[in-house]
Amino acid sequence: MFRKLLLSLIFCLAIVPVVFAQTGTLTGVINDSRTGEELPGVNVFVQGPNLGAATNVEGEYSITNIPYGTYTVRVTYVGYSPITQTVDINALSQTRNFTLTEDFVGLEEMIVTGQGSGVERRRLSTNVTTISARQMDRLPQVQLDQILQANISNAQIRMSSGQPGTASLIRGRGINSALTATTPVIYIDGVRVDNTTGQALGFDTGGAQSSSIADIPVENIERIEVVSGGAATTQFGSDAANGVIQIFTKQGVEGTSQFSFESSVGATVGTRDFLRFQETGDILFEPGLVQEYRLGGSGGTRDFSYSFSGSMRGDDGFRLRNNQARHNLRGTVSAAVNPAVRYTGSVGFASSEFRRDENANSLLSAYAGLEVGDFGDLSELSTEDFQDLKEFTHGYTNLIDITEDVKRFQTSHQLDFNISTGLTANTVVGIDSRSSKQLVVETNEMLIARGWVPEGTVDQGFLGRSHRDFLGLTLEGGMRYERNVGNFSSITNVGGQIFRNDDQQVRLEGSGLPDGSLNINTSEDITASDFRRTVVNYGIYALENFGYMDRYFFELGLRVDQNTAFGDEVGPQVYPKAGFVYNINDEPFFDGLIPGNVVSTLRVRSNIGWAGNFPTPFSNEILALTNPFLGGLALEFGIPGDINLKPERTRTIEAGADISFLADMFNFEITYFQAETTDALFRAPFARSYGLGSALQNLGTIENKGFEFASNMNVYRTRDANVNVRASFNTLSHKVIDNGDSAPFSVGGFGFLGSYVDEGYEVGYFRGNKPIFADDGSLDDVEPNAYLGSPVPDYFGSISLNADYRNFSLTVTSDYQMGAQGVNADEVLRYFAGLQDGRIPEASSGESFFDLAGIWVEDTDYLKVRLVSLNYRVPSAYYAGIVRRISVGFTVTNPFNFSTSVFDPEVTAISIAGLSGENPSPQGGVGVGGFAFGTESAPRHFLGRIRIDF
């Protein structure tokens, strides 16, 4: 009897775990609703037991060990509307397939930039623009600024030059500072990277300045998030008043490894639309071969994944001495260290070598010389004279050697900790190392060929070397706690960041160099200068996002920043923010009031926040400059210094609404913003009696305000076809509302027509004499020191089209601006050469060209079509085996330009000149543009492409 009872007890104990711990498996496939294509990397999450998985390359997912019961399953994927369904787990294995539809509103999309960690867009009080890998696949990925140009609706990205490696002017909500550049802060995988334009000791070759944005690798990008300044930048603190660009690289997905090979081959052709003489293009422009090859791969398991890409690009250039070569590598790995810790690391390397010609404000510029009349009216040359001029120009241009070699290494390492339910933490450490070497050689042979020195000259050669080493270090740690109690939800983020930037530069110049030598020691006279700056910015932040009934959301944030460059004189800077969101369409009464198929989304939002900019490091110190003189040292005034110097602060108020109609087919966003920078830093002059020139001072207040309208319209959608149109319209009112009683001061341009800063006007407005003509065309009067216009537009925006029909896809992007002006500096020089183009009245007796300044200021309204791309996905019936997909395409960049100005309104320089003191170069200086001067427009590219996925 006892044995039977014991055996029964043992049997019951053995069966209990089976009865009470039965588990099942949920599997399935996830497809695109329109194309039927399997979607890899889709997240499937079972709420309750908090189990999840991502689809593999075949779109398959599998979630195991799910206890029997009824659960809510949520399916999410970037760029698609999420799906929430109920599923009963009551068998060992169940199958549930899902079909996802593209999301043109994106309120459920997870955003990192606005809150510090993943949070649904619907909870954020500010707009965050996202660019997905799907969007980038439709574009030729050459430079970061070109990707942004095609996808950011509320910012201007203007190509400043056709020269290789040059910068674009990136400007969103006006100009917040008269000191610093308008370029947003840039992060790659959580690491802040160098976004400098120009360098303190670099060679600008007449105007074209190198940009550290141009060599940021764009391979292997999963998505980009962009915030346009204001309250959402509180997490990033000082220097983020112009916004933030976050780049996230791809991570592999579970399943069989997949690889892709892509090749693009075509031609680069000079843009002739804005040439004064078509003969200039005939002399200088020659179509060049462009070829690029890319290889990428990804794969992994649930506990380990990887992704990598590499590319080689060669461009012969569209004109003499403009060839370039680029090589990029990037890889990302992610691994589960244990069930609670995951490591993600990325490494990127970029190499760029290119050659430039002298341009713009350089006497050696062949392009400027031909365009401004140095060789007369080219259209009147005989065939023989034209051929002689062409040979002459080619002869000395081919003897100019201006090269730059850039090597860039970036790495990021992140640990994510799943501490307990709702509590997570992460740490990030990374570096951005950028080394650029410039070489400028002007030989005696070139000077002889140019006709500047006599035959036989051997001691007039010039050699210049500039070397910049930048090392940026990022350290960050943060914690997140998410909780839900009844109708209340809360997401709390706290953390700290340290950014250390070490910038070292050396410039060597040697004159009297014999031909054939690249050793500066062989020069008769050698000069050297160096520049070093090490600055650490560090701060802590706390962000809170409260939700009530899943439709009211409140944001609160606080950041405290400090900078090592100022010591105790400048204390910690406090940047708060607050925001509110109301998702009206989630109200129970809304469906009864307005049918969901008429108005599907209605959301209002508002916020207020502060950001700022620290002054140029050490500019509060009183410093003297020393110079060699007769074997000794001579002292002169350097930086006057100001112990009261402090950061400028930008307060941004923002309010807006999002609305969509007809099941999200037509989506509209409207935002009003007002940004006010107080204690604005002006490099203003002292009274002449001081003998101190100019110095950095907290003098002014700058205001920017305007409306941003953006629309995303899915105008036609069937299983076979899809037509999507995006358009934006932005207004901007920008002016200095207080200049601290400072007199108007120049920040660049010419003596008779310059860029100025003054109360009541835009930063960098044009000032000069304004001629007034009588009815007969004669000069009647002159208004001295008149307002002549501004390079900052009143209106700007973009228009793009994405159309798909079966296996064909078409992409067209364009942008425009209205209400800005620019100076036709080339026409000024043609005036001196006697080559008026008929728009300028004949000079009368006693008239000075100073009186005609206003004539050369033109409206710069434009519409530019940036890209036309047609792609075709080859049907799978034509291939088999290891090949998964083949696509071919053809792309044209910069095909059409329409402008009110006779010059290219984009190619109008990027920086304010005239800086002084310890930083004589506009490194990181504000960019307003406005002066068109002897620089080629961005070329056109005609590229055929093939991509094969394995």
Side-chain angles (χ1 to χ4, degrees):
M1 183 68 178
F2 177 78
R3 288 185 61 189
K4 290 182 179 181
L5 290 174
L6 181 60
L7 288 174
S8 299
L9 179 60
I10 294 174
F11 176 78
C12 290
L13 291 174
I15 200 67
V16 165
V18 177
V19 174
F20 292 97
Q22 287 182 301
T23 62
T25 298
L26 181 66
T27 62
V29 179
I30 300 179
N31 303 83
D32 181 289
S33 63
R34 189 181 69 83
T35 66
E37 180 182 2
E38 294 84 9
L39 298 175
V42 179
N43 292 308
V44 183
F45 186 74
V46 180
Q47 299 177 354
N50 293 335
L51 297 173
T55 57
N56 60 21
V57 294
E58 285 80 27
E60 302 169 343
Y61 74 92
S62 176
I63 305 175
T64 60
N65 298 321
I66 307 174
Y68 279 11
T70 300
Y71 304 103
T72 298
V73 177
R74 184 171 175 81
V75 182
T76 60
Y77 190 46
V78 175
Y80 287 81
S81 298
I83 293 178
T84 301
Q85 290 187 7
T86 300
V87 61
D88 291 323
I89 304 297
N90 52 22
L92 293 179
S93 181
Q94 291 194 49
T95 299
R96 180 67 63 91
N97 298 327
F98 297 95
T99 300
L100 297 184
T101 303
E102 284 190 74
D103 182 12
F104 297 102
V105 180
L107 294 184
E108 309 297 328
E109 185 177 0
M110 300 300 288
I111 301 296
V112 173
T113 306
Q115 188 74 14
S117 58
V119 62
E120 291 176 336
R121 182 195 297 271
R122 67 198 309 272
R123 301 180 69 107
L124 297 177
S125 62
T126 189
N127 269 342
V128 180
T129 302
T130 59
I131 306 172
S132 67
R134 191 180 184 89
Q135 291 171 270
M136 288 184 285
D137 282 344
R138 305 180 74 109
L139 305 171
Q141 300 175 34
V142 180
Q143 289 187 187
L144 175 62
D145 48 7
Q146 294 171 330
I147 294 176
L148 298 175
Q149 187 180 59
N151 290 283
I152 304 302
S153 62
N154 60 351
Q156 278 194 300
I157 295 91
R158 292 174 43 178
M159 306 301 178
S160 66
S161 171
Q163 296 282 309
T166 52
S168 291
L169 187 153
I170 301 178
R171 182 167 58 206
R173 296 174 171 177
I175 301 173
N176 288 307
S177 172
L179 176 70
T180 61
T182 57
T183 305
V185 172
I186 300 176
Y187 288 82
I188 299 179
D189 289 337
V191 176
R192 186 179 290 198
V193 300
D194 184 26
N195 64 344
T196 301
T197 296
Q199 59 192 64
L201 301 180
F203 294 97
D204 61 14
T205 63
Q209 294 181 337
S210 297
S211 166
S212 58
I213 300 175
D215 52 67
I216 292 177
V218 298
E219 276 75 25
N220 221 37
I221 294 179
E222 176 67 30
R223 75 181 189 281
I224 301 174
E225 296 178 0
V226 182
V227 182
S228 300
T233 63
T234 301
Q235 179 201 347
F236 304 95
S238 298
D239 306 326
N242 295 315
V244 177
I245 299 172
Q246 283 250 54
I247 300 172
F248 303 89
T249 59
K250 293 180 180 179
Q251 298 183 28
V253 297
E254 179 183 353
T256 306
S257 295
Q258 59 178 344
F259 302 92
S260 65
F261 172 77
E262 183 177 340
S263 175
S264 298
V265 179
T268 177
V269 178
T271 300
R272 294 170 173 254
D273 299 14
F274 301 100
L275 293 180
R276 174 65 172 83
F277 303 108
Q278 289 300 310
E279 290 79 6
T280 299
D282 296 337
I283 291 173
L284 291 180
F285 293 172
E286 297 178 350
L289 174 67
V290 178
Q291 50 186 328
E292 183 171 17
Y293 306 95
R294 295 184 180 183
L295 178 67
S298 65
T301 64
R302 182 169 300 181
D303 294 330
F304 174 82
S305 63
Y306 70 91
S307 176
F308 72 89
S309 67
S311 70
M312 300 183 294
R313 180 182 176 88
D315 187 340
D316 291 342
F318 64 95
R319 59 149 297 169
L320 300 175
R321 316 297 283 180
N322 262 193
N323 57 301
Q324 57 182 315
R326 301 179 61 176
H327 300 81
N328 293 335
L329 292 171
R330 180 171 289 281
T332 304
V333 297
S334 182
V337 180
N338 57 48
V341 181
R342 190 170 190 90
Y343 163 79
T344 303
S346 66
V347 177
F349 174 77
S351 173
S352 178
E353 303 93 25
F354 51 85
R355 177 182 280 115
R356 289 202 192 113
D357 62 277
E358 294 279 2
N359 70 103
N361 190 24
S362 169
L363 295 175
L364 290 173
S365 171
Y367 178 87
L370 293 168
E371 281 290 281
V372 304
D374 284 359
F375 305 99
D377 189 337
L378 303 186
S379 63
E380 297 179 354
L381 294 177
S382 65
T383 302
E384 182 179 356
D385 289 341
F386 172 81
Q387 191 61 36
D388 289 343
L389 178 59
K390 183 175 182 178
E391 292 178 2
F392 170 75
T393 304
H394 283 219
Y396 80 82
T397 301
N398 281 321
L399 294 172
I400 298 174
D401 197 10
I402 302 172
T403 61
E404 187 163 349
D405 184 356
V406 179
K407 299 292 186 288
R408 189 163 196 165
F409 174 79
Q410 299 164 343
T411 184
S412 168
H413 303 274
Q414 178 170 332
L415 287 174
D416 293 292
F417 303 90
N418 188 6
I419 300 172
S420 62
T421 302
L423 181 62
T424 59
N426 71 79
T427 62
V428 178
V429 59
I431 63 172
D432 176 36
S433 174
R434 183 178 186 271
S435 174
S436 62
K437 299 178 181 178
Q438 294 179 320
L439 173 67
V440 178
V441 181
E442 298 173 1
T443 64
N444 294 286
E445 184 182 5
M446 183 275 297
L447 296 174
I448 293 171
R450 188 66 172 87
W452 286 358
V453 298
E455 291 282 351
T457 300
V458 296
D459 59 353
Q460 296 296 311
F462 171 83
L463 174 66
R465 293 185 184 275
S466 175
H467 190 176
R468 177 177 185 249
D469 285 321
F470 173 88
L471 179 64
L473 172 66
T474 298
L475 297 172
E476 180 176 353
M479 296 187 68
R480 168 190 170 111
Y481 182 51
E482 183 174 359
R483 56 203 178 278
N484 297 281
V485 179
N487 289 326
F488 294 90
S489 64
S490 176
I491 301 175
T492 304
N493 284 277
V494 296
Q497 300 162 326
I498 298 176
F499 308 112
R500 174 191 167 102
N501 293 334
D502 191 353
D503 192 347
Q504 300 183 51
Q505 303 178 36
V506 175
R507 174 166 168 156
L508 301 174
E509 298 180 54
S511 57
L513 183 79
D515 287 354
S517 175
L518 294 180
N519 190 334
I520 204 163
N521 293 329
T522 62
S523 304
E524 293 180 4
D525 297 305
I526 301 174
T527 58
S529 55
D530 65 356
F531 172 97
R532 177 161 186 172
R533 178 183 294 165
T534 299
V535 178
V536 179
N537 291 281
Y538 50 92
I540 56 175
Y541 64 88
L543 300 167
E544 183 67 48
N545 188 296
F546 296 101
Y548 176 63
M549 299 184 70
D550 202 33
R551 50 185 177 268
Y552 306 96
F553 299 99
F554 304 87
E555 290 185 287
L556 295 174
L558 185 70
R559 182 183 180 92
V560 181
D561 258 15
Q562 183 59 291
N563 181 294
T564 61
F566 296 92
D568 296 334
E569 288 84 358
V570 176
Q573 301 299 301
V574 180
Y575 302 118
K577 83 164 184 180
F580 170 72
V581 182
Y582 180 23
N583 294 299
I584 303 175
N585 57 283
D586 289 332
E587 288 283 6
F589 65 79
F590 190 81
D591 287 338
L593 185 65
I594 303 176
N597 59 352
V598 177
V599 178
S600 47
T601 302
L602 180 59
R603 174 176 179 260
V604 294
R605 48 188 163 74
S606 62
N607 59 63
I608 181 173
W610 281 259
N613 290 303
F614 280 100
T616 303
F618 315 113
S619 53
N620 60 330
E621 302 286 345
I622 300 175
L623 301 175
L625 296 180
T626 60
N627 292 299
F629 181 73
L630 298 178
L633 290 178
L635 297 177
E636 62 177 303
F637 286 117
I639 301 175
D642 181 359
I643 196 172
N644 297 314
L645 200 64
K646 56 186 176 181
E648 54 189 8
R649 294 172 61 85
T650 300
R651 182 208 65 195
T652 301
I653 298 174
E654 182 180 314
D658 308 319
I659 184 170
S660 61
F661 301 95
L662 304 179
D664 292 340
M665 287 186 63
F666 299 92
N667 310 287
F668 301 92
E669 299 175 356
I670 179 173
T671 302
Y672 171 79
F673 71 91
Q674 194 243 3
E676 183 178 275
T677 301
T678 55
D679 293 321
L681 292 160
F682 292 165
R683 196 175 294 276
F686 289 100
R688 291 187 178 182
S689 58
Y690 279 48
L692 295 177
S694 62
L696 199 60
Q697 306 170 60
N698 292 107
L699 289 180
T701 302
I702 302 173
E703 181 185 66
N704 294 276
K705 59 184 178 181
F707 286 91
E708 299 169 344
F709 301 90
S711 63
N712 189 341
M713 296 170 286
N714 198 29
V715 296
Y716 184 76
R717 184 179 182 88
T718 65
R719 182 171 182 82
D720 289 336
N722 178 63
V723 179
N724 178 254
V725 177
R726 295 186 181 189
S728 69
F729 179 77
N730 304 279
T731 72
L732 177 61
S733 173
H734 161 73
K735 66 177 60 177
V736 177
I737 60 176
D738 183 4
N739 67 349
D741 296 325
S742 171
F745 57 92
S746 173
V747 290
F750 305 107
F752 75 102
L753 174 55
S755 291
Y756 278 77
V757 173
D758 191 15
E759 187 173 305
Y761 301 104
E762 301 88 347
V763 172
Y765 79 95
F766 302 125
R767 175 181 171 179
N769 292 339
K770 181 178 181 179
I772 302 173
F773 296 97
D775 293 339
D776 61 1
S778 62
L779 184 65
D780 183 53
D781 196 6
V782 176
E783 180 184 349
N785 297 324
Y787 174 87
L788 300 177
S790 167
V792 181
D794 297 323
Y795 313 99
F796 64 90
S798 61
I799 306 171
S800 66
L801 167 71
N802 291 325
D804 301 297
Y805 177 71
R806 295 185 177 176
N807 289 0
F808 289 94
S809 63
L810 173 69
T811 299
V812 181
T813 65
S814 64
D815 60 80
Y816 63 89
Q817 77 168 23
M818 296 180 290
Q821 289 76 41
V823 177
N824 193 342
D826 287 349
E827 193 63 43
V828 176
L829 297 179
R830 284 194 286 267
Y831 174 83
F832 290 131
L835 298 177
Q836 295 94 330
D837 64 358
R839 297 179 302 117
I840 301 175
E842 293 293 332
S844 58
S845 60
E847 180 182 289
S848 167
F849 82 93
F850 290 100
D851 299 329
L852 300 176
I855 289 178
W856 292 297
V857 179
E858 301 180 22
D859 290 336
T860 55
D861 301 344
Y862 71 77
L863 169 66
K864 291 196 172 190
V865 178
R866 304 292 186 176
L867 173 81
V868 178
S869 180
L870 179 64
N871 293 283
Y872 175 69
R873 181 175 175 178
V874 180
S876 58
Y878 293 99
Y879 52 86
I882 63 173
V883 176
R884 293 190 302 109
R885 179 171 55 184
I886 298 177
S887 61
V888 296
F890 183 76
T891 298
V892 183
T893 62
N894 304 313
F896 304 109
N897 297 301
F898 307 95
S899 172
T900 58
S901 59
V902 298
F903 58 86
D904 190 337
E906 280 193 292
V907 184
T908 53
I910 57 170
S911 295
I912 285 182
L915 301 185
S916 62
E918 88 296 349
N919 187 12
S921 170
Q923 173 171 317
V926 65
V928 294
F931 291 85
F933 193 5
T935 300
E936 304 91 331
S937 301
R940 293 188 171 107
H941 290 99
F942 300 86
L943 299 173
R945 183 180 73 162
I946 181 170
R947 173 168 173 160
I948 304 174
D949 294 314
F950 304 93

